[in-house]
Amino acid sequence: MHRRVRRWSGGLAAALFLVSVSLLTAEPLLLAATAIPLIYVAYGALLRLPAGTDLQAARTVSDAQPTPGEPVAVELTLTNTGRSSLTDVRVIDGVPEELAVVEGSPRLCTSLRPDESATLSYAVMAKRGTYTFDAAAVRVRTLSASDEVTVDLTVAGDGTVTCSNTVSEVPMADATLPRAGTLPTDTGGSGLEFHSTRSYQPGDPVNRIDWRRYAKTDELTTIDYREEQAVRTVLVVDARPPARVTPEPGFPTGAELSAYAAERLFDALSRTSVVASVCAVGLAPEDVPGGLGPDGLAWVDASGGHAAAHARQIFDSVGRAAARQSDTDAAGDAGASEDAPPHQSRSEAARVTTADGGTIEDPALLAVLARLPPTAQVVVFSPAADDWPVSLVSSLAVRDYPTTLVSPSLARGDSLGAAVASTERVARLQRAELSGATVIDWDLDSPIDVALRASLADLFSV
Amino acid sequence: MYDHTTLPTRMPWTSLATVVGVTALLVVGLLGTVSADRAALVGVATGVLLALSLWLSGWDSWQAVGTVLASVLALPVAVGLSVAIGGTVASLGAELFPAPSQAGIRPAVVTLLSQVFVVIGCLTAVFGATAATRGVVDTERVGAYGGVVVRTTAVPFAVALVLFTRGAVDFLQSNAGTPGIQQLTGEVLSRVLEPIFDPVPGRTHIAIFSLLLALAAMALARGIDALPLSELVPETSDAPDVDRAIAAVGRTLRWTGRLALLVAPVAGLFELGLGQESLAGLLPVGLYELIVTVTAAPGLRSLLWRLFLIGTVVTVAVWFLRRTVQSSADRVGTVLAPYVGGGVIALAVVAVAGPAVDAIETTLRATPAAPAVEQFFTPILDVYGPETVTLAFVVVALFSVTSVTGQLWVALATSYLRERTAGVTLAAAGLFGASAFAATLSTPTWLVLAGLVGAVVVWDAGSFGTTLGHEVGTGAATRRTELVHTGGTVGIGGVGAAATLGLSAVARGSIAVEPSVAVAGLVVCLVAVLSLVAAIR
């Protein structure tokens, strides 16, 4: 797009002003000085962009497949392939709107001689999903800035950043049970692994009698094997508005990180055939394709068909809710209250007793407790930005559910606010641990897999 | 490229340094040509203060504090503006006048005006450059500052008006005996005021007394209604029944007022129609004397007048407080601050009125306007007192600030000044004007040309930098382009200056033949028209 900018026409007014003052004060120098503004007018009017202006751009991305929360360095090189010098070249790289620039600026203004290049370096914060860079916007001006051309320049090189986890990457196999779909217990019975021996009691299966011992000692003894019970694992993702906090702009929110950790674990469990259900708390009906259940929860059972696809939809919904939250942040707390799940009426809400004897009337908490199957392990994913996950964990402890709390640590920076938030979170995690849950404190500097591997062995070997 | 970007529009550092540096150098150079040094320096400081005031009035994080400071700074700005212009005129007037001959008057006037314009130009340039550093000249901010100055002026203006009215009334009353228009006005005033506050003793004044009584009763009733008395009493069973008592008092006062209002015309008719003798005959002696004593007592009148004032003041104050508590603290601070600032200014002016008036008088006496001082200033000072005169000066100066702000606002609102480049445009315009007028003084030619080119460079670097900041932001590396662009502008200016010197040399040769200069001027105008056509195309 070509445009003329009339920025020097004020010179005519200046010339007329000088003529007036000159006539008023009979000063010939001022009359001659009208040459100054007039020459500027001519400068603006006559200078044009040279024909054959040509630019080329190439982009390199340091890591095209980063993990969420990792800064990705981007470099855009602009080369003047035309024959004339360009005194004023402005370029804005087409950074995807969703990605925040965390270092440097994706904008540059420079002068380029023929065959000279300029490089623009910046970094964006990776988020879950695939993002494509747009064409770079380039504006070239003359020296007098009175003639300009704006174009969308197609950029060669890297154009996409994909930030997702694929099943093949999951290093979780060694962290979970070698025997698929079962949880070994401390009670003896039928199974594969030896547990103990005891005196024969009438009715014991014949194939469990220790015949060798009978041959040696003439005593009937029954062998007990370690009983293996099928168990369900429920992954609860805390996506309520309080969990959608972010330590700095462009960084994934606590809810998104929780969903990410849950997705990693879900993939690992799927590979080992553990029956895993996924539940997200705090989503609005419009976030989830197909809406929420009647109890206000987004719940996917492994027993249904296409469980993995449905679970992935839920994880994506958390990202959508977080994006919507950042859009409506300006609207204040009103948006947050809309995000709350449909509340049950107070009369329905039975009081729930926690480990410390307190009572809770949170509808989301009640819905989770009501929906949990009687035998299940529960893994709660929450940034622990408020007391809700602690209440949930202690309520689960009261009901004898083996519980794990996975909490991404969001505190970054040295600000006073970050320090207070971090201290509060540590206190919450301690309370969760005291109530009997296994707590995984995920420091974002290390991959979630490392944190999970460190603790999951405990989880699956009760 | 996104033209609707929300990036900060602050210009990059290189452009800003160019604008500020060139402006500072040129202002120093140009002010060197002005003889009135002190006034020129005050002008420069006023420019900075005006920009600071504009910034303060749009200080979002500390709105109330910013408004208070902007309001208090209105006085230094107003005084600075007056001193910069008035001081230059006064000091140069003393220097240049009386002119030695008739022919010397015109050059003297031109010199005087040129120096004044140089000072105004430098003031504008300093203001523009200072404002450009923070981008504080925009319609909203200028409007807000205008509102602050108007509200700040309100209190000194009201005080000055009251003092002036009192002085005028006293003066006119004291002149009742002297002939002419003063006698007439004095008599009219005496006729209006005496029956109200100082009635003739020994006769009844029921009508006017009733009117005063009605006014006082009504105002008191309104005042009592407005006071939150019943809300202040604790709501306990043994608390006194204040509500009923208040209602009774209010009712009594209202009825008293109505009754007095009814009595007034009837009594007036009787007093005027029947005369005092008949009235004395109609009424029992005791009652008549009582009425005479009560209605003609100046003390009672004064009491009723004060009760009326108290009632009115209470009503207004309570209404104001009720409005205040319903608003947010910041809003209250912002709205009240200018009045508080105005009050502070009024008090300060009254406190320093004596020495200030002496200083003004001494300065004026040193100028050719000394006879006018004797003829007008001294009598006015005698009649109204130094407080009123100083307040009047301050109010006029504050009005001048309001007027300047208003003009700036109109220029911005009508887009004659673009908000984004308003600061640099003002700085460039000020420098250009100051340089042009400096040419008529004994300024070296290089300084005039440097001033003219420098003004263009200031505007160009500023507007280019602002566009750059708007399009690529201050985070991007832009120095190289800025330097190249400014270098180009300076180079073109150099060519223009060389052309000026050449033309000037030609003109100097032909200066004896004046029509040829006119022809040269016409040629330049022709070139201007052609360039205009080219630019528009």
Side-chain angles (χ1 to χ4, degrees), chain B residues 169 173-174 176 186-201 205 208 212 295-298 301:
Chain B
V169 167
Q173 274 185 326
S174 70
E187 277 177 4
V188 168
L189 272 171
S190 304
R191 272 196 196 165
V192 172
L193 295 177
E194 271 178 13
I196 296 175
F197 293 107
D198 196 14
V200 183
H205 300 278
I208 292 172
L212 259 179
T295 58
R301 298 267 172 124

Side-chain angles (χ1 to χ4, degrees), chain A residues 217-369:
Chain A
T217 60
D218 205 20
E219 283 178 13
L220 276 172
T221 318
T222 305
I223 300 173
D224 271 349
Y225 296 92
R226 191 182 286 275
E227 258 190 354
E228 291 178 356
Q229 294 177 340
V231 71
R232 286 179 66 174
T233 302
V234 179
L235 310 180
V236 180
V237 179
D238 178 11
R240 297 165 311 113
R244 296 175 203 162
V245 286
T246 178
E248 53 194 60
F251 204 82
T253 62
E256 283 178 291
L257 288 168
S258 302
Y260 171 70
E263 193 171 5
R264 302 289 297 217
L265 186 58
F266 180 78
D267 287 344
L269 295 178
S270 303
R271 279 165 54 79
T272 52
S273 311
V274 170
V275 182
S277 304
V278 176
C279 164
V281 183
L283 293 178
E286 61 264 30
D287 295 326
V288 187
L292 301 172
D295 52 3
L297 296 177
W299 186 289
V300 174
D301 264 330
S303 51
H306 311 293
H310 285 150
R312 211 162 300 284
Q313 272 186 349
I314 286 189
F315 296 132
D316 289 344
S317 305
V318 175
R320 263 198 297 282
R324 195 165 50 78
Q325 169 91 1
S326 61
D327 287 346
T328 54
D329 261 354
D333 292 337
S337 62
E338 281 170 17
D339 286 337
H343 283 221
Q344 294 176 339
S345 68
R346 284 253 159 198
S347 56
E348 278 179 53
R351 293 190 157 223
V352 177
T353 310
T354 58
D356 54 2
T359 52
I360 292 160
E361 288 184 11
D362 183 84
L365 188 66
L366 293 174
V368 173
L369 293 175

Side-chain angles (χ1 to χ4, degrees), chain A residues 40-377:
Chain A
Y40 278 113
V41 174
Y43 171 58
L46 300 178
L47 225 59
R48 293 290 154 93
L49 275 174
T53 303
D54 200 3
L55 286 165
Q56 282 184 359
R59 186 189 296 112
T60 53
V61 175
S62 67
D63 184 1
Q65 294 187 329
T67 50
E70 183 188 336
V72 179
V74 183
E75 281 196 347
L76 181 82
T77 306
L78 196 68
T79 311
N80 178 9
T81 50
R83 281 166 289 137
S84 43
S85 294
L86 301 174
T87 52
D88 182 353
V89 182
R90 300 172 190 195
V91 58
I92 304 178
D93 199 3
V95 183
E97 271 184 39
E98 296 86 351
L99 297 185
V101 176
V102 289
E103 195 186 315
S105 167
R107 296 159 180 251
L108 174 76
C109 178
T110 186
S111 307
L112 291 175
R113 290 194 206 91
D115 296 325
E116 192 184 354
S117 296
T119 304
L120 165 67
S121 306
Y122 61 95
V124 291
M125 183 65 78
K127 280 169 92 170
R128 272 189 82 256
T130 300
Y131 302 98
T132 308
F133 283 81
D134 296 329
V138 177
R139 180 171 283 174
V140 183
R141 277 192 170 88
T142 55
L143 188 61
S144 61
S146 56
D147 195 24
E148 66 179 36
V149 170
T150 311
V151 287
D152 282 338
L153 192 65
T154 313
V155 183
D158 301 333
T160 311
V161 168
T162 305
C163 180
S164 66
N165 47 321
T166 55
V167 176
S168 61
E169 289 174 348
V170 179
M172 303 292 292
D174 55 347
T176 52
L177 263 189
R179 287 177 291 281
T182 56
L183 178 70
T185 64
D186 257 350
T187 48
S190 59
L192 294 173
E193 192 186 345
F194 175 79
H195 183 259
S196 57
T197 57
R198 60 174 167 82
S199 306
Y200 174 79
Q201 286 171 356
D204 278 347
V206 178
N207 63 353
R208 278 172 54 195
I209 294 172
D210 190 349
W211 293 111
R212 292 185 180 205
R213 190 180 173 92
Y214 179 67
K216 278 185 196 166
T217 60
D218 205 20
E219 283 178 13
L220 276 172
T221 318
T222 305
I223 300 173
D224 271 349
Y225 296 92
R226 191 182 286 275
E227 258 190 354
E228 291 178 356
Q229 294 177 340
V231 71
R232 286 179 66 174
T233 302
V234 179
L235 310 180
V236 180
V237 179
D238 178 11
R240 297 165 311 113
R244 296 175 203 162
V245 286
T246 178
E248 53 194 60
F251 204 82
T253 62
E256 283 178 291
L257 288 168
S258 302
Y260 171 70
E263 193 171 5
R264 302 289 297 217
L265 186 58
F266 180 78
D267 287 344
L269 295 178
S270 303
R271 279 165 54 79
T272 52
S273 311
V274 170
V275 182
S277 304
V278 176
C279 164
V281 183
L283 293 178
E286 61 264 30
D287 295 326
V288 187
L292 301 172
D295 52 3
L297 296 177
W299 186 289
V300 174
D301 264 330
S303 51
H306 311 293
H310 285 150
R312 211 162 300 284
Q313 272 186 349
I314 286 189
F315 296 132
D316 289 344
S317 305
V318 175
R320 263 198 297 282
R324 195 165 50 78
Q325 169 91 1
S326 61
D327 287 346
T328 54
D329 261 354
D333 292 337
S337 62
E338 281 170 17
D339 286 337
H343 283 221
Q344 294 176 339
S345 68
R346 284 253 159 198
S347 56
E348 278 179 53
R351 293 190 157 223
V352 177
T353 310
T354 58
D356 54 2
T359 52
I360 292 160
E361 288 184 11
D362 183 84
L365 188 66
L366 293 174
V368 173
L369 293 175
R371 192 82 176 255
L372 280 177
T375 56
Q377 292 186 103

